[in-house]
Amino acid sequence: MNVPAESTDAAPIAQSEQRARALSPGAPFFVVMNAGSGRKQVDETRAVLERELGGAGRRFDLSVVTDPRELAATARKAAERARTDDGVLVGAGGDGTLCTVAEAALTAGVPFAVLPRGTFNYFSRDHGIPADLDASTKLLLEARAYPVQVGYVNDRMFIVNASLGLYPKLLEDRETYKQQFGRSRLVAMWSALFTLLRRHRHLRLHIEHEGRTREVRSSTLFVGNNRLQLEQIGMAEAKAVEYGLLVAIAPRPVGRLAHLILTLRGAAGRLSDSDHVMSFTFDRITVARPTRPKDKRRRIKIATDGEIAWLDLPLEFRVSEKPLLLLKPEPAVAEANRS
């Protein structure tokens, strides 16, 4: 099931200079921000927007969402305003927030921009967008919009990754620990350690790819759409994302200690060295469970960019035919900024 990225004739989307799109002169910015990270961060963001955008004579509107259940609706309304006024929809937050706002931008057909405000910021870092708030805000005034790849699982979009099995459980436990001990990478690491040391079950999945079906038994199925994240865990297929493909990773059935060792390999950037990991690239796969008598489980828990949802089986993972137009640095600068 391996599909080497080098076999495709497609040029990397991120390096397609000819497809870059300049913004309309004076295009307004419609910023949607998740207030979950605290009032201080909201006030800081507003002050920088007023100084950098207002100071440059550019119109902007900041919508602060205090209830996460209202984020999607707020993003859709802002996207419609951006479409009417020939403007840009901007997401301010972590990858989960950015994905929700990006989906609204993609649906409305308007350019999307990012103000990174999360813990890991894989999406912005992969595209060379500065983590510094002042720098990322200044970028809005000079950047062009480049088409970038997004993925879908059924009708749910993801910009970094999607997964089922143990990985969503890791994310749920991480949020619980963050609420108790604060948001930091150290808290995330300890949370993952405690989750991995607990007992977990393996999934039996049927994965259909290019007309062939393979039965896979694994604790988790992880689908990556982020070159930086895939490189950090040491996946040889990481560059495939630039050629219109997604990367699937599934650890083979192992015990808790072996699973912990796999995780440590990933943290050290050596996951693909292990014989206990199956991986392949694809543009579309279907994932189902083997049918059993009296089996009424038709839904399964999914994580997309850190957000949990229940989706109907079978699952279809695919690359979106329509790219997202992202404001980002010029290709050479973006590559130099990746970290």
Side-chain angles (χ1 to χ4, degrees):
M1 296 176 70
N2 288 307
V3 182
E6 289 78 10
S7 66
T8 179
D9 293 327
I13 289 178
Q15 298 178 6
S16 180
E17 180 76 17
Q18 293 75 18
R19 300 174 67 186
R21 170 179 157 186
L23 300 182
S24 300
F29 299 97
F30 298 89
V31 185
V32 178
M33 182 172 188
N34 186 348
S37 50
R39 185 69 194 178
K40 180 180 178 180
Q41 200 173 84
V42 172
D43 291 342
E44 179 188 18
T45 302
R46 190 187 305 275
V48 172
L49 291 171
E50 290 175 350
R51 183 174 67 249
E52 300 298 338
L53 300 185
R58 295 291 286 275
R59 180 163 66 94
F60 74 91
D61 178 82
L62 175 62
S63 299
V64 178
V65 179
T66 56
D67 185 346
R69 294 171 297 182
E70 298 177 356
L71 180 62
T74 302
R76 287 193 295 269
K77 291 178 182 177
E80 281 305 307
R81 294 180 62 192
R83 186 178 64 83
T84 300
D85 293 358
D86 201 16
V88 179
L89 183 64
V90 183
D95 288 327
T97 296
L98 298 184
C99 181
T100 300
V101 182
E103 185 167 19
L106 184 65
T107 301
V110 298
F112 175 64
V114 171
L115 299 178
R117 306 261 68 192
T119 303
F120 293 99
N121 299 318
Y122 277 117
F123 181 73
S124 57
R125 289 164 60 202
D126 192 38
H127 292 289
I129 297 169
D132 178 75
L133 180 60
D134 290 74
S136 59
T137 304
K138 290 177 181 177
L139 180 65
L140 301 180
L141 297 170
E142 59 190 42
R144 293 187 294 168
Y146 286 84
V148 301
Q149 172 177 297
V150 300
Y152 274 89
V153 49
N154 291 3
D155 60 352
R156 192 173 177 89
M157 193 178 98
F158 59 96
I159 56 177
V160 177
N161 61 56
S163 59
L164 59 147
L166 179 61
Y167 195 74
K169 177 61 176 172
L170 285 168
L171 295 176
E172 286 183 318
D173 290 349
R174 187 179 74 185
E175 285 305 307
T176 300
Y177 277 85
K178 282 183 176 180
Q179 290 175 10
Q180 296 179 13
F181 304 109
R183 294 183 175 272
S184 73
R185 297 191 183 193
L186 184 60
V187 170
M189 182 186 70
W190 281 108
S191 169
L193 177 63
F194 288 130
T195 302
L196 289 170
L197 288 175
R198 293 203 299 266
R199 187 176 181 180
H200 53 268
R201 66 186 182 89
H202 293 95
L203 300 171
R204 287 182 63 221
L205 304 171
H206 282 173
I207 300 180
E208 182 181 335
H209 177 231
E210 296 185 338
R212 297 167 51 198
T213 300
R214 173 181 293 186
E215 183 169 314
V216 173
R217 188 165 175 260
S218 177
S219 61
T220 192
L221 176 65
F222 178 94
V223 175
N225 182 49
N226 186 275
R227 175 184 158 192
L228 176 64
Q229 186 180 48
L230 293 166
E231 285 178 344
Q232 285 188 345
I233 62 176
M235 298 308 299
E237 300 93 338
K239 209 168 172 58
V241 173
E242 296 186 350
Y243 292 86
L245 298 171
L246 301 171
V247 179
I249 305 169
R252 304 186 193 280
V254 293
R256 278 175 281 182
L257 180 58
H259 218 299
L260 179 59
I261 293 173
L262 280 178
T263 303
L264 294 175
R265 276 183 171 273
R270 297 175 52 201
L271 192 60
S272 62
D273 294 343
S274 174
D275 294 332
H276 297 300
V277 175
M278 180 191 75
S279 61
F280 59 94
T281 60
F282 68 93
D283 59 5
R284 184 183 300 265
I285 58 171
T286 300
V287 178
R289 279 180 170 160
T291 57
R292 298 178 181 175
K294 300 181 181 180
D295 188 353
K296 297 182 180 180
R297 293 176 297 176
R298 304 293 184 185
R299 292 168 67 80
I300 192 168
K301 186 182 294 184
I302 296 291
T304 52
D305 297 330
E307 304 297 323
I308 306 297
W310 287 85
L311 298 185
D312 292 329
L313 290 165
L315 303 174
E316 183 185 54
F317 292 87
R318 68 187 188 279
V319 175
S320 173
E321 295 179 358
K322 182 180 177 182
L324 176 70
L325 291 174
L326 175 67
L327 267 65
K328 54 184 290 187
E330 299 300 304
V333 176
E335 186 64 26
N337 287 348
R338 288 179 73 249
S339 60

